[in-house]
Amino acid sequence: MLKVPEHQVAGHLAIDGKLGPLVDDSGRFYKPLQGDGRGNKELAFYESFSSDTRVPEHIRKYFPVCYGSQLLEASNGSGLLHHLVLQDIVSSHRNPSIMDVKIGSRTWYPEASDNYIQKCLEKDRRTTTVSLGFRIAGLQLYEGKESGYWRPGRREVQSFTVYNVRSILRRFVSSNSSIGNESSDCSFAPSIYGGSAGILEQLLELKAWFEDQTIYHFHSCSLLILFDKESVSKGSTPVPVIKLIDFAHVVEGKGVIDHNFLGGLCSLIKFVSEVLSDSKESLIKDCVESEKPGICTDNGNCQQS
Amino acid sequence: MLKVPEHQVAGHLAIDGKLGPLVDDSGRFYKPLQGDGRGNKELAFYESFSSDTRVPEHIRKYFPVCYGSQLLEASNGSGLLHHLVLQDIVSSHRNPSIMDVKIGSRTWYPEASDNYIQKCLEKDRRTTTVSLGFRIAGLQLYEGKESGYWRPGRREVQSFTVYNVRSILRRFVSSNSSIGNESSDCSFAPSIYGGSAGILEQLLELKAWFEDQTIYHFHSCSLLILFDKESVSKGSTPVPVIKLIDFAHVVEGKGVIDHNFLGGLCSLIKFVSEVLSDSKESLIKDCVESEKPGICTDNGNCQQS
């Protein structure tokens, strides 16, 4: 039984007769192979990547597993179409908060046509891509049983400023649902951004690889960052997930590091570390100011002594 | 007594009635303030930088000392003109080999005019700026008493490919003067690129700062890299010099790291480390193959045991 993914935050949705990805109940994600060659390029990337022994094992976990391609009824009713069969990263999560962060200060690659470059450049300048080295391409934040998800529309997402991005990175790990830098409590930052299995450590692991690898240049790729807020609220500490997705514009690195991706990744890392250190500071303040001073533990609790 | 700098490898030369920088015998470098506002922007940068307490002491050594500005007879005979008075980095060296490496995969900044951006973009695509994240903007290699310097012309420099850049980074630290990847011996790599005061360590120190600093974005800046080949040949190990120069297009960082500079810097670091590790491998090979096997020391000698 194929269905439209419940938690897709960017790209075309398979609704209203449009072409889009589908998922099944066994944890697979079916992405239609786009006809302009991009689909085949992405399939070729997965084939090359999965057999490339130069990619270390600890890096493979940041990529969805690929199960090849399969002919399926397309979601727009146009008949049988080849689909890329991928691991469904999201569906196993009950109430995932998700950010799709497109990395790099340019989304075009040197070999592309002038027209394509100008189109990308225009969008890169209009969004935070040029200024920040990354842009949020889509997101949903789980706000609780009553209010459900905050999922801004495409236009709103494309108009995000640097201020908005910083604010969303705080709100992403906050227990209160109000928007804005000042009011977000960032109470999940120590357990989601911080810790040995947290987002920051994972980003740093990826960074170390990007400082060295010269196999691929990942143009217009996204980092999908997600975790289940509900389970954090209930006291357990779920491992937040980071996956690289969208490989239609990957080109060979030819012995040069992907400095475009690496620069953007470092910029994201700086933003995430700032949210984390701010939250730790305010935690220390809370501990000191509380009537029973305690010790701030690594996972962000104020342990009473 | 002002004169034309002997070892200027990029930018306009103060010859044939043209406007260019001058030097004196006391180690000062006089750079004419360009009339289109760039000169004043560079002066403003030096003033802001020198008084900014957020810049750590160990980073200041990578910037030329600035002594303010001074009215001087311009080199083109146009009369009195304001000049930026800087530390002359080069003249104290007897036979310096120099590379001027413009860092960043884009030389334009988001606030610039469309015309300016298109002009820069075109040049960035034509050179290795987009592909490598840096380009060599000028160089001179000292080849010995008889042959003097190899100093390619502006057109040749602007047509450098990725292959040429890799080759020059090898030739820069080679005792033989022939061009080409294969034939360069890289015999100075361990002492100039390697070691605790070498180029690589200095680049890594700069990188650590760029991963953190959000004060400035250094568009179209260069790293001037130089050392005295003659003194290495004579057995002493001079400390190679790295300085950041050309600050006419620096803008405020506004809380965001300079991911454009950082990405390019990481790409250069990767190239330099490859030359270094190749040279160490070939040294080990030489040691092993020699009749009296020895120990490869850190400064690249094969110490006979």
Side-chain angles (χ1 to χ4, degrees):
Chain A
M1 255 298 284
L2 295 176
K3 57 190 177 184
V4 177
E6 212 177 325
H7 303 297
Q8 190 184 332
V9 298
H12 297 289
L13 294 175
I15 49 170
D16 304 330
K18 285 190 206 135
L19 187 62
L22 299 164
V23 291
D24 66 14
D25 288 328
S26 75
R28 298 200 172 188
F29 182 90
Y30 302 87
K31 184 174 179 178
L33 288 187
Q34 285 152 303
D36 53 1
R38 284 190 279 172
N40 284 331
K41 271 191 78 174
E42 185 160 25
L43 179 59
F45 166 77
Y46 273 110
E47 281 168 351
S48 144
F49 180 83
S50 62
S51 63
D52 197 319
T53 52
R54 293 168 297 178
V55 179
E57 273 317 304
H58 71 277
I59 291 301
R60 292 200 178 274
K61 68 172 177 286
Y62 295 112
F63 291 77
V65 180
C66 178
Y67 306 98
S69 71
Q70 198 175 315
L71 266 177
L72 290 179
E73 280 295 333
S75 66
N76 61 354
S78 63
L80 286 175
L81 187 72
H82 280 285
H83 286 65
L84 196 59
V85 188
L86 299 170
Q87 170 194 9
D88 183 1
I89 305 156
V90 176
S91 297
S92 60
H93 294 262
R94 203 164 155 175
N95 301 113
S97 288
I98 310 173
M99 285 186 294
D100 178 311
V101 188
K102 202 183 273 282
I103 305 288
S105 71
R106 65 176 156 81
T107 56
W108 51 272
Y109 42 102
E111 300 82 1
S113 71
D114 283 0
N115 263 352
Y116 179 82
I117 291 178
Q118 287 303 328
K119 213 181 110 188
C120 289
L121 179 64
E122 202 256 313
K123 192 165 182 183
D124 293 348
R125 289 176 64 191
R126 210 174 53 226
T127 61
T128 64
T129 288
V130 169
S131 56
L132 280 189
F134 64 88
R135 68 174 178 248
I136 294 180
L139 83 153
Q140 70 173 27
L141 302 190
Y142 184 66
E143 301 193 320
K145 265 182 193 155
E146 276 112 64
S147 34
Y149 294 96
W150 176 54
R151 193 189 281 175
R154 186 179 298 230
R155 282 213 183 154
E156 189 176 349
V157 168
Q158 289 187 355
S159 68
F160 283 159
T161 62
V162 174
Y163 178 84
N164 296 142
V165 169
R166 190 172 273 127
S167 168
I168 285 165
L169 285 170
R170 295 176 60 86
R171 205 176 160 201
F172 189 68
V173 287
S174 290
S175 68
N176 55 349
S177 58
S178 50
I179 309 179
N181 252 328
E182 312 308 323
S183 47
S184 300
D185 63 16
C186 296
S187 61
F188 302 142
S191 55
I192 299 303
Y193 288 163
S196 60
I199 296 294
L200 187 58
E201 276 306 310
Q202 294 189 55
L203 292 176
L204 290 171
E205 189 168 50
L206 267 175
K207 174 181 171 241
W209 185 57
F210 272 93
E211 284 172 346
D212 188 55
Q213 77 88 12
T214 61
I215 317 168
Y216 302 111
H217 284 193
F218 293 91
H219 300 101
S220 209
C221 280
S222 283
L223 283 181
L224 206 65
I225 303 179
L226 63 120
F227 78 102
D228 205 325
K229 210 186 240 184
E230 195 79 322
S231 54
V232 190
S233 309
K234 283 178 183 157
S236 69
T237 46
V239 177
V241 174
I242 292 184
K243 297 273 182 193
L244 268 156
I245 57 167
D246 295 341
F247 306 109
H249 303 289
V250 175
V251 301
E252 278 182 45
K254 295 179 188 164
V256 177
I257 64 164
D258 189 352
H259 46 86
N260 176 57
F261 190 100
L262 177 58
L265 183 60
C266 290
S267 179
L268 177 63
I269 285 172
K270 176 72 175 172
F271 269 61
V272 169
S273 358
E274 279 177 354
V275 176
L276 185 59
S277 58
D278 283 359
S279 74
K280 280 184 177 162
E281 266 172 39
S282 77
L283 179 70
I284 290 170
K285 200 165 150 268
D286 289 353
C287 269
V288 170
E289 283 174 0
S290 75
E291 288 191 5
K292 284 186 177 177
I295 296 157
C296 308
T297 64
D298 272 354
N299 60 4
N301 295 321
C302 186
Q303 201 174 54
Q304 295 301 326
S305 51
Chain B
M1 255 299 283
L2 295 176
K3 55 188 178 184
V4 177
E6 211 178 327
H7 302 297
Q8 189 185 333
V9 298
H12 297 288
L13 294 176
I15 48 170
D16 303 331
K18 283 189 208 141
L19 187 63
L22 299 165
V23 291
D24 65 15
D25 288 328
S26 75
R28 298 200 171 188
F29 181 89
Y30 302 86
K31 185 175 179 179
L33 289 187
Q34 285 152 304
D36 54 359
R38 282 191 280 172
N40 284 331
K41 273 190 78 176
E42 185 159 26
L43 179 60
F45 166 76
Y46 273 110
E47 281 167 352
S48 143
F49 180 82
S50 62
S51 63
D52 197 319
T53 53
R54 293 170 296 178
V55 179
E57 274 315 306
H58 71 277
I59 291 302
R60 291 199 178 274
K61 68 171 178 283
Y62 295 112
F63 291 78
V65 179
C66 177
Y67 306 98
S69 71
Q70 197 174 316
L71 266 179
L72 290 178
E73 281 294 333
S75 67
N76 62 354
S78 64
L80 286 175
L81 187 73
H82 279 287
H83 286 65
L84 197 60
V85 187
L86 299 169
Q87 170 193 11
D88 183 1
I89 305 158
V90 176
S91 298
S92 60
H93 293 262
R94 203 166 153 170
N95 300 113
S97 287
I98 310 172
M99 284 187 295
D100 177 311
V101 188
K102 203 184 271 284
I103 305 288
S105 71
R106 65 176 154 81
T107 54
W108 51 272
Y109 44 103
E111 300 82 1
S113 70
D114 283 2
N115 262 352
Y116 179 83
I117 291 178
Q118 286 304 326
K119 215 181 109 188
C120 289
L121 179 65
E122 202 254 315
K123 191 165 182 183
D124 293 349
R125 288 176 65 192
R126 211 173 55 224
T127 61
T128 64
T129 287
V130 168
S131 56
L132 280 190
F134 64 88
R135 70 173 176 248
I136 293 179
L139 82 153
Q140 70 173 28
L141 302 191
Y142 184 67
E143 302 193 318
K145 265 184 194 153
E146 275 113 64
S147 33
Y149 294 96
W150 176 55
R151 193 189 280 177
R154 187 180 297 232
R155 284 215 180 153
E156 188 176 350
V157 168
Q158 289 188 355
S159 69
F160 282 160
T161 62
V162 175
Y163 178 84
N164 296 141
V165 169
R166 189 173 273 126
S167 167
I168 285 164
L169 285 169
R170 295 176 60 88
R171 204 178 160 200
F172 189 68
V173 289
S174 290
S175 67
N176 54 351
S177 59
S178 50
I179 310 182
N181 252 328
E182 312 307 323
S183 48
S184 302
D185 62 17
C186 297
S187 62
F188 303 143
S191 55
I192 298 303
Y193 287 164
S196 59
I199 296 294
L200 186 58
E201 277 306 310
Q202 294 190 55
L203 292 175
L204 290 170
E205 189 168 50
L206 267 175
K207 172 180 171 241
W209 185 58
F210 272 93
E211 284 173 346
D212 189 54
Q213 76 88 13
T214 61
I215 317 169
Y216 302 111
H217 284 192
F218 293 89
H219 301 100
S220 209
C221 281
S222 283
L223 284 180
L224 206 65
I225 303 178
L226 63 118
F227 77 102
D228 204 325
K229 209 185 240 184
E230 194 81 321
S231 55
V232 190
S233 308
K234 284 178 183 157
S236 69
T237 47
V239 177
V241 174
I242 293 184
K243 298 274 181 193
L244 269 156
I245 56 165
D246 295 342
F247 305 110
H249 302 288
V250 174
V251 300
E252 278 181 46
K254 294 178 188 165
V256 177
I257 65 164
D258 189 352
H259 46 86
N260 175 57
F261 191 100
L262 178 59
L265 183 61
C266 290
S267 179
L268 177 63
I269 285 172
K270 177 72 174 171
F271 269 62
V272 169
S273 0
E274 280 177 354
V275 176
L276 184 60
S277 59
D278 284 0
S279 73
K280 279 184 177 162
E281 266 172 41
S282 79
L283 178 71
I284 290 170
K285 200 164 150 268
D286 289 352
C287 269
V288 170
E289 284 174 1
S290 74
E291 288 192 6
K292 284 187 176 177
I295 297 158
C296 308
T297 63
D298 271 354
N299 61 3
N301 296 320
C302 187
Q303 198 174 55
Q304 296 302 325
S305 49

